[in-house]
Every structure is written in C-alpha cells, then in structure tokens.
Amino acid sequence: MMKYNQIFLLLLTSSLLVACGDSNSPAPEPTQPPQSQYDYLDVKMKPTAPKSGTVTVMLGEFDNKITQWILDNPTADLNKDGGVGLLDAHLAGVYNDDKESIEVDLSDMADFLATNPDGLGAGTARPDIFKPGHFSAFDLLRYLSGGRDDLELSGITNYDTTGLGTYTFNVSFDADQSGIFDPGTEETNNGNWHFRFNAHGGDFNRARGNMQGFSPSGEANYIRMDEYWLQDGSLITFQPFSDEMTARRQWIQRQEVLNFEASGNQPMVPSITALTFDANWNPSVQAQANDVKITAHNHRDDIFQPGVVTVMDAMISAQEQLNGVSFSYWDTLSTGAKVGHWAVSSIGGKRNSGLYGWFSEFHNPANKPGDPDFSKYPNCNWGIDGSQDGEPRVSQEVCQRDWAGAFGGELVHMLPDVYPMNYGYNNFSYVYGSMYDIFGPTKRDINNSLVWEYKEGEQLDKVTFQTFELPSSPVGNASLLDEAHFGWQIADCTLCHNELKEPLGHGGHSWPINSRDGFSQSQPYYCASCHGANGAPKAHGEDDRCFFCHAGEKLPKKHGDASTKVLYKGADKMMGNKMYGFNPKYRGVPADEFGNHKPIEQRWNSRNNDWDISRVFPDPYACMTCHQQPE
C-alpha cells in the first residue's frame, strides 16, 4: 500500500507547521510601478497560471545510449550527411530503451502536501516564494517521497542555513525494486540528487532528439530546486548526479549568496549585455547595463509572493540603461505548447521579427559569453570541488556523463518571468539571432513583396504578396468604414459582399480582384486599401508569424481559411522530417519521447504556417495591412 493514505490519516490529527525564513532570506521590498510605466508590456493583460494539471516524472538516471555513442564516436558520420548524430547511431544499431514515467496530478499533490507530511510546511516548503496552490520541483520530490516505498528523503537541511539559499537533502531510492535500499551503494543516502526539466513543448517535443543537445530526460541545470516553479505539462526527472556536478552547482549557488550578502541583501547583476552580429559574425553591443539593482515588479503575482525577483525584473530594472526593453505574452502556441509567459520582444530599440529575436545566455561566476559549462562535446575545465582553480580537475569520463548537451546549466529553456533571481546573478547577455537558417522557412518581410508558388498537381500558380497602406481619407467614391457600417469589425467582407448576395458585384460592377499580383479571389485586406481597416484592433509590435501565437482558442475568427485547420499528410511532405540547422550541435530530425528517430506522418495546422500561406488572409501581409501598429 502506498504511504500517502497512512501519512494523510496520521497528520489529520496533528497541527500544521509552516516554514518561515530568517532575515537573510531574499525578500526585497516589493516595488509596484504605477500602471503608466507598463509601456514595456506589448499586450495589456494579467496572466493567471492554473493550479491544476499534471506533470510527468522519471525517477533515476536515463540511460542515454545514443548520446554516449555520439560522444564515443565523434567522427562516425555513417550516413555521410556532414555530421554525427541520431541517424548515425541508429545505423550502428544503437537505440535508447523506454523508461517508465509517472503522471502526477497537481491537485492530488496539493491535497497531500496540505497535511505537512514532512514538517517542512503545509503546502509548499517555500511559502516565502510561492503563492498558495503553487509548488516547486522540491515540493514534487517531497510528495513522491511521502507516498512511495521506493523513495525516501532524509538529512534535510533548511534553505536558510545551508549557505546556498536552497535545501540540501539525501535520497534513498530502491532502483532495482528489491524492497530494500542497498547499503553502500548510490541507492542509499545519496546527497547528489537533483532534477532535470523540460517545459511543455507540444509538437515541438518531437524536435528534442539527441542531435540538438536535448536529453529525453530533460535539461540538467544549476537552478535551486525549491525555486523552480512546477508548471502543468512539464517533464521532471529526479536522478543522482556525480559528486563533481553537485560541487559545481553548489559552488555557483554559494557565490551568488556571497555576492547577495556583500550587496547588503540586494539582488544585483553586474552586467547585462545585448549583442548583435553582422554577416561575418562580428559582434557589436546593442545595449549595456551595469551594476543593476533588481527590484520586484510583481508581474507574476499569480505565482510568486510579493518581492520575489526574476530575470524579467532584472531587465525592467535595467531598461533605462538598456535604452528600453519590452515583453510579449506567449500563451498556447501553434505547436500546441502551453507556455503562458512573458518573453523579451525588444532591447535597445531592436525588436524580434518572425524567427529573428533575442536569445538569452546566462553566465556563472567562472564563464563568459560563448564559454558555457555544457556543450555537445564538453570540456570541464574546473576542479572537482566546483571552483575554477580547484585541483584535481574533473575527469573526462565524469564530464561527459553529466555535462554533455548543448543546453544545460544556465543555458536552459526558461522564460524570464519565472526564472528566479532572488540572489541576483553574475552576468548575463541577450544575443540577437536567427532561427531561419536552423528550421528553413522563408522570411516574410512586410516591407517587401514576396513571390509564392502554389503547386496544384503538376501546375504552378505564382502570386505576389504585399502589404497595403490604409487610406487616411476617402479614395474616390469609396467610403471609409466606421461604426455605422453593419459589418463593423467583421474581418471577412465576403461573408456579406459576394456574388450570391450581390451578383452584379461592387457597385454594379465586378468585384475588385488583385489580379495584378496573380490572384483570382476577393481578399478583404485588399478591400481595406480603399475602405480602411473596418475597426480592426491595433497590432501589438509583432510583424511576422502571427499564426505562432494566434492559434488554438486564439485562432482568428471569420478570417476565411485562416480560421480553419488543414490536415497535412505524408512523411515526405513534412518539413520537420528533413535535417535542419547550419550549426552541427543543433541539427536534428524528429524523435520520440525517448530520443529515437520517429518521422512525422501528419499534422493539423493553420493554413498560415511556416510552409504554407493563405491566399485570402496571408500572414503577415493581411495582418499588418489591417492591424496597424500603435503610434
């Protein structure tokens, strides 16, 4: 019988304890700017994170045979494609085995932890960080330990006495399910357990093959486990790491705490740099901020307690030095990924555009831009004590086991509004880069026309897309539409103005068709070039790939075929099945949840996507014609 019910009944009769932090815990006074200062938010909305949902859990280290084969055979380009990766491993007969996972219901976890089963608090063990009903990865480990006979937490030291700003603990795990924790092995009282994570990625999960540096068990990291917010749809792997990995992680955390205390318990970032590159990869500084004092702006007070600071707070605190920053809100995306976060959209006047945008790079006290701890072929140039100058050095065997992967450490996939920075940080940078070369779609520039070829059987139909200017005054006899128009704010003019309802057409003449650009059908955004935008809401800064966010429940209504989904079928037609990426460490093909190659056979998608485009409401040309940017 699981231990949950036993402990739950026992603790119902006991008083509940709540953990409290001391004066050294990071709780700067909350700063809530007036609403007039929120011009850095592209979308005026207030997120509310759900408290329910599920997370997937793996227990124990994932045996990643494919990654190990790639490390052991760095020149074995068996399929002669110019790189060594997943497909080569399969040609050598190497596949990853399946690994059992556990689905945890967050509501069940909340009910169990409300009983304070381990004395660390009723609910979260960090009530100084999380609002009631929200939890950390450490809380998830508490829940699993409380209800499983094969997992046990012991030797817990409170976060305010470790000098690391986080709990330390030992884990015993009956990995072979023998019914006992084998003494003298990694199974018993192991202090090296930490977690890996993957956020919910929707269809993009399929891109997490080993060639891109993703591990099927998630991204290893240096994040404090009790500060990592547990989000619906996440994958969490709890596993033992090496003594050397624990030493490195704790050395970094200790430096952050020491710097925090030296600054009078004020979270600081010495330097934030925004870099751009020319065609020859020569860098230039777009913006720079120094000695940034981070104040809390509480934009995620649905999750965090007042005063908790994040990367988003650091960027807002530095916005004057950086000559402005802005954030766009990502909800559920066209890939099906449940995001629900603010993302950086501009720095120093340079804005994201389609697959051009700002990528974050964080640096621990020992490294610098371009020199991360993790890489596809890592070289751990530090001591086994975690310090940069320590001796002896980390062995290559241990280095490959724990640090192999293009992502990990501080270079992980976390959005800035939930990336905790309560003790400040060493330095970090944002780099403006392109993913067009990685994934291969055609850039659609609203300032220039785009020639597009549709293949209809054996025939090609060529058209030209362009963005039209809206009239500021009536054009000839054409009236500018206003609220008096019976179809005010209905995007698709052809719902009412069509050959069935008005056979004689436009004013008794034929309906206006943009035949000059190769079209043979009515296009409402072409109508707007004479009649105005018909009350279309203003845009919010983006100028390409509108379909990326306007998907699912936010799919545009009454926008012709742009409001529908299309079933694309055939593995040979799926662009995601083709090798992509100019950088060998990010190249890849789709994989299953365990990292083995698995082609995409079909998928439903909006007519507007990276590989197709609506003739009637083409993204972004129709979008940017009617939805004008605010002045």
Side-chain angles (χ1 to χ4, degrees):
M1 184 184 212
M2 300 291 277
K3 289 186 285 187
Y4 293 116
N5 293 334
Q6 301 168 13
I7 297 176
F8 185 85
L9 292 172
L10 174 65
L11 292 177
L12 277 177
T13 58
S14 64
S15 61
L16 304 179
L17 302 177
V18 178
C20 299
D22 67 2
S23 60
N24 290 324
S25 61
E29 288 298 315
T31 301
Q32 190 71 21
Q35 187 68 30
S36 61
Q37 294 185 26
Y38 289 170
D39 55 358
Y40 49 77
L41 299 181
D42 295 340
V43 182
K44 308 306 179 188
M45 56 90 66
K46 189 174 180 61
T48 302
K51 296 179 180 180
S52 60
T54 60
V55 295
T56 302
V57 180
M58 290 185 183
L59 291 176
E61 184 175 1
F62 180 77
D63 183 12
N64 199 333
K65 295 182 175 69
I66 294 174
T67 291
Q68 189 59 54
W69 184 89
I70 293 171
L71 291 169
D72 293 340
N73 300 274
T75 62
D77 182 10
L78 302 185
N79 63 356
K80 308 301 181 185
D81 65 354
V84 179
L86 173 59
L87 298 182
D88 299 300
H90 285 349
L91 287 174
V94 178
Y95 290 82
N96 285 339
D97 297 327
D98 293 359
K99 183 174 175 61
E100 181 184 2
S101 61
I102 308 159
E103 293 295 317
V104 173
D105 186 293
L106 294 177
S107 297
D108 291 344
M109 186 180 79
D111 291 343
F112 180 72
L113 292 179
T115 66
N116 193 12
D118 49 13
L120 297 178
T124 178
R126 294 302 302 265
D128 58 321
I129 293 179
F130 294 102
K131 288 283 186 72
H134 290 287
F135 300 92
S136 70
F138 179 63
D139 293 319
L140 175 60
L141 185 59
R142 294 170 58 209
Y143 170 69
L144 294 168
S145 171
R148 295 180 63 91
D149 295 324
D150 60 355
L151 185 71
E152 183 175 278
L153 279 178
S154 62
I156 299 173
T157 303
N158 205 35
Y159 64 90
D160 56 5
T161 60
T162 61
L164 306 171
T166 187
Y167 284 94
T168 59
F169 51 85
N170 297 325
V171 172
S172 296
F173 178 52
D174 182 14
D176 59 7
Q177 300 295 301
S178 63
I180 61 171
F181 299 123
D182 297 330
T185 69
E186 278 193 341
E187 289 192 357
T188 306
N189 292 326
N190 190 327
N192 292 325
W193 278 62
H194 197 56
F195 75 108
R196 292 174 175 266
F197 72 88
N198 272 336
H200 187 276
D203 290 340
F204 189 71
N205 285 354
R206 296 290 302 280
R208 290 175 176 162
N210 293 276
M211 294 174 71
Q212 300 93 315
F214 292 102
S215 167
S217 58
E219 296 174 7
N221 61 84
Y222 300 148
I223 298 167
R224 292 171 175 84
M225 189 187 294
D226 54 359
E227 290 188 346
Y228 177 85
W229 176 56
L230 199 60
Q231 184 173 1
D232 173 35
S234 300
L235 165 70
I236 303 292
T237 297
F238 294 110
Q239 68 168 83
F241 287 88
S242 61
D243 292 341
E244 292 87 340
M245 170 62 90
T246 301
R248 181 67 165 173
R249 183 177 62 252
Q250 293 185 349
W251 179 81
I252 290 168
Q253 293 173 350
R254 190 172 294 110
Q255 307 315 302
E256 292 172 354
V257 172
L258 292 174
N259 291 338
F260 174 75
E261 292 173 346
S263 301
N265 290 2
Q266 166 67 55
M268 299 279 298
V269 178
S271 174
I272 301 174
T273 307
L275 296 172
T276 60
F277 293 86
D278 64 18
N280 296 316
W281 291 98
N282 297 311
S284 61
V285 176
Q286 178 76 16
Q288 176 92 37
N290 297 312
D291 299 324
V292 178
K293 293 183 178 181
I294 311 175
T295 56
H297 296 76
N298 303 313
H299 284 299
R300 293 314 305 255
D301 58 2
D302 55 325
I303 299 171
F304 298 122
Q305 295 287 2
V308 171
V309 296
T310 64
V311 172
M312 183 177 183
D313 291 307
M315 295 298 289
I316 297 171
S317 300
Q319 65 174 323
E320 185 173 343
Q321 290 191 65
L322 294 173
N323 297 317
V325 298
S326 66
F327 300 85
S328 182
Y329 186 75
W330 291 16
D331 199 355
T332 298
L333 304 180
S334 61
T335 60
K338 296 184 289 186
V339 182
H341 295 299
W342 295 102
V344 170
S345 58
S346 72
I347 304 175
K350 191 169 184 63
R351 188 176 178 88
N352 296 352
S353 178
L355 289 175
Y356 291 110
W358 291 104
F359 303 88
S360 58
E361 289 191 10
F362 297 88
H363 315 298
N364 66 54
N367 67 21
K368 56 187 182 299
D371 182 30
D373 282 9
F374 283 72
S375 70
K376 186 173 181 179
Y377 299 104
N379 180 21
C380 303
N381 189 25
W382 56 81
I384 63 172
D385 64 351
S387 70
Q388 205 63 23
D389 300 323
E391 294 288 346
R393 314 300 272 177
V394 175
S395 71
Q396 190 62 19
E397 179 183 359
V398 171
C399 183
Q400 288 187 355
R401 172 185 168 183
D402 280 355
W403 279 275
F407 301 104
E410 301 97 336
L411 188 59
V412 291
H413 288 80
M414 284 186 67
L415 274 295
D417 59 342
V418 290
Y419 199 134
M421 205 166 267
N422 289 310
Y423 294 94
Y425 214 81
N426 186 51
N427 294 308
F428 63 88
S429 60
Y430 274 84
V431 176
Y432 196 84
S434 168
M435 297 188 77
Y436 284 101
D437 292 331
I438 295 177
F439 293 107
T442 301
K443 166 66 178 172
R444 304 171 190 181
D445 184 354
I446 61 170
N447 297 312
N448 294 285
S449 61
L450 172 68
V451 176
W452 193 274
E453 291 184 345
Y454 292 94
K455 188 171 183 180
E456 308 287 350
E458 296 300 318
Q459 309 219 344
L460 290 178
D461 185 11
K462 185 182 294 186
V463 299
T464 301
F465 293 109
Q466 61 174 302
T467 308
F468 297 109
E469 291 187 8
L470 295 182
S472 57
S473 59
V475 179
N477 295 325
S479 59
L480 286 181
L481 301 177
D482 57 23
E483 290 90 339
H485 177 221
F486 68 92
W488 181 245
Q489 292 187 329
I490 295 177
D492 191 352
C493 316
T494 66
L495 293 175
C496 296
H497 304 285
N498 57 58
E499 293 179 355
L500 291 177
K501 294 188 177 182
E502 298 181 67
L504 295 180
H506 189 249
H509 306 284
S510 61
W511 292 103
I513 303 294
N514 183 16
S515 56
R516 183 189 63 179
D517 288 337
F519 295 98
S520 59
Q521 58 274 102
S522 295
Q523 299 165 298
Y525 79 111
Y526 185 60
C527 306
S529 65
C530 288
H531 292 285
N534 195 34
K538 292 290 186 182
H540 47 80
E542 306 295 345
D543 63 4
D544 195 3
R545 300 184 81 242
C546 309
F547 63 81
F548 186 54
C549 291
H550 292 275
E553 294 181 358
K554 290 183 170 57
L555 192 70
K557 305 295 190 294
K558 297 180 180 178
H559 280 65
D561 63 350
S563 299
T564 64
K565 285 196 170 186
V566 179
L567 178 61
Y568 295 90
K569 298 180 69 174
D572 59 322
K573 297 181 178 65
M574 301 292 109
M575 291 299 295
N577 288 331
K578 303 184 187 304
M579 203 85 68
Y580 59 80
F582 68 94
N583 188 325
K585 71 178 180 179
Y586 295 119
R587 300 175 72 212
V589 291
D592 63 17
E593 61 185 307
F594 302 110
N596 298 307
H597 180 221
K598 183 180 180 181
I600 300 170
E601 299 293 338
Q602 65 180 40
R603 65 165 294 174
W604 287 93
N605 214 332
S606 167
R607 172 63 75 186
N608 283 314
N609 56 68
D610 280 320
W611 316 107
D612 199 359
I613 185 169
S614 166
R615 296 175 191 249
V616 181
F617 282 90
D619 182 347
Y621 303 97
C623 314
M624 293 295 97
T625 293
C626 296
H627 300 278
Q628 298 281 288
Q629 300 288 6
E631 297 179 0

